[in-house]
Amino acid sequence: MPDPSLHLPLCPRLPASALRWLPLVPVSLALTDFARRLAKRHPAMFRRLGGYAQARFILDPTDLPVSMLLEPRGGAPRVHVSRRKLQGDARIAGPLAGLLGMVHGAYDGDALFFSRDLVVEGDTAAVLALRNAIDDAELDLSAEAQAMSGPLSAPVKRLITLTEARTGVALSRHEEDYGW
């Protein structure tokens, strides 16, 4: 596992700057579709949220000019991407590498929090419920994307592998990783 006291990789400038002008409605729709497919493949993850299934989570990658509002909506999730400040029940902020690394077990969320690489604000019980739900699902977002890509699965896998190698961002779950 990477040492969380080391500097987390930042999102490369080109994709980050593209988000300054890229229309965000298609991005929001694509992420919502991805989240809904995840919900169908991992319904227990959304049930695990319990009383927080209607909470609104702001995911704020601090190295990108956008943030996301994740609304689990009891298993019919919605994702809204915005350049403006979003309102929600809880906010989780940190570099994209840290946020994705926690999902994939490459980084320990507690260590990132105590090293101040990760900031949690608002309803911390809701954040803990989200953390536990994702952790129990042992998600591998790249494997999910490949599974949803049908005949394009092989090129998607190659693109993800190349991106992961070039950026140092954990885009998939590896056996040596452990949960956050």
Side-chain angles (χ1 to χ4, degrees):
M1 180 185 96
D3 182 349
S5 65
L6 299 176
H7 184 65
L8 292 171
L10 298 178
C11 185
R13 286 186 185 182
L14 184 60
S17 63
L19 287 171
R20 293 191 191 287
W21 55 266
L22 191 70
L24 297 181
V25 170
V27 176
S28 295
L29 292 172
L31 288 174
T32 294
D33 182 59
F34 186 74
R36 288 185 178 169
R37 290 176 182 220
L38 277 177
K40 287 180 182 170
R41 292 173 57 89
H42 301 277
M45 178 173 62
F46 290 88
R47 285 193 303 271
R48 173 79 195 253
L49 286 171
Y52 299 104
Q54 301 301 324
R56 296 165 42 104
F57 299 93
I58 299 167
L59 307 174
D60 188 2
T62 55
D63 51 345
L64 296 179
V66 298
S67 56
M68 294 162 269
L69 177 65
L70 168 63
E71 298 175 277
R73 296 169 36 170
R78 186 179 87 131
V79 179
H80 174 71
V81 181
S82 179
R83 293 181 191 94
R84 297 186 178 142
K85 184 174 179 163
L86 296 169
Q87 300 296 318
D89 300 302
R91 177 177 169 261
I92 307 163
L96 181 63
L99 298 173
L100 289 173
M102 287 187 303
V103 169
H104 294 118
Y107 293 110
D108 179 348
D110 292 334
L112 290 176
F113 177 78
F114 288 114
S115 68
R116 298 185 184 178
D117 287 312
L118 181 72
V119 174
V120 176
E121 299 172 335
D123 189 342
T124 55
V127 172
L128 185 59
L130 179 64
R131 169 189 167 168
N132 290 338
I134 291 171
D135 203 31
D136 284 354
E138 295 185 352
L139 292 178
D140 183 330
L141 297 179
S142 67
E144 298 292 341
Q146 290 169 50
M148 295 175 197
S149 298
L152 298 176
S153 178
V156 166
K157 181 178 182 172
R158 284 192 298 276
L159 178 63
I160 290 169
T161 301
L162 176 66
T163 303
E164 191 173 43
R166 292 253 174 142
T167 63
V169 176
L171 299 175
S172 58
R173 185 171 287 276
H174 300 281
E175 286 185 32
E176 68 274 6
D177 300 337
Y178 73 94
W180 52 310

